[in-house]
Amino acid sequence: MPKEKANLNHLLKNPRLVRPAIAVLALFAAVFPFVFSLYQINIMTTALIYVMVGLGLNIVVGLAGLLDLGYVAFYAVGAYSYALLNYHFGLSFWLVLPIGAAMGALFGILLGFPVLRLRGDYLAIVTLGFGEIIRLILENWNEFSHGPSGIANIPRPGFFGVELSLHQ
């Protein structure tokens, strides 16, 4: 093992250094919206969303060893579940958040039940096909998903009475 990597592992395992680092990161996260511009906040929000998607993909591909090329389709199912339930029924973000997660999980179970017997390239082809089917449905079924324009004017969520809006 290279010396630099050994030193980094030693630093990460030292609780006297990790706890203050976590505290500094938490303070930075709490102060970030008040210090930086709206543009930078939106960029960071998008980056953190993609970090969460990447962590989930790491579990599927890295830890489970399954080559899932249509992983983003489950993200799309959850996101459109929220958008459509909010658009048509006016349900709030916090009410629909677990419903969107459950819809993504349901589609994962429905696809996974018959497909998880496949391995390697065959699993990759089936999941890629599922991802393409979801993409084509969302782009072409205009009455359902408003096509390539997407669903506009979805209100931002509130957090304990604080409206998380774009206005500063």
Side-chain angles (χ1 to χ4, degrees):
M1 181 182 323
K3 186 176 180 180
E4 295 84 17
K5 191 170 182 178
N7 288 338
L8 181 62
N9 285 337
H10 176 70
L11 289 175
L12 291 176
K13 291 180 181 177
N14 187 350
R16 292 186 320 172
L17 298 174
V18 172
R19 289 186 184 128
I22 291 173
V24 167
L25 285 173
L27 180 66
F28 178 74
V31 172
F32 188 87
F34 302 107
V35 175
F36 293 96
S37 72
L38 183 62
Y39 174 75
Q40 292 165 325
I41 293 169
N42 284 333
I43 294 294
M44 185 60 75
T45 302
T46 304
L48 290 174
I49 289 171
Y50 289 138
V51 163
M52 293 302 295
V53 172
L55 288 172
L57 187 60
N58 183 41
I59 292 170
V60 172
V61 177
L63 298 177
L66 302 172
L67 184 56
D68 187 353
L69 298 177
Y71 184 78
V72 75
F74 303 111
Y75 170 69
V77 166
Y80 269 88
S81 296
Y82 163 64
L84 291 169
L85 287 171
N86 182 278
Y87 182 78
H88 292 295
F89 301 108
L91 298 175
S92 73
F93 173 79
W94 298 109
L95 179 66
V96 179
L97 183 65
I99 295 171
M103 289 297 293
L106 176 68
F107 273 72
I109 291 168
L110 291 176
L111 181 68
F113 183 69
V115 170
L116 281 179
R117 292 187 189 106
L118 301 176
R119 294 284 178 227
D121 295 342
Y122 300 108
L123 178 65
I125 291 168
V126 170
T127 57
L128 180 64
F130 174 72
E132 282 300 302
I133 289 169
I134 295 295
R135 184 186 66 82
L136 290 171
I137 287 172
L138 294 177
E139 282 186 0
N140 295 316
W141 193 0
N142 290 331
E143 296 82 23
F144 176 68
S145 64
H146 298 256
S149 301
I151 301 171
N153 299 324
I154 300 171
R156 293 199 173 246
F159 190 68
F160 294 115
V162 176
E163 191 63 33
L164 305 175
S165 68
L166 289 174
H167 307 281
Q168 281 189 338

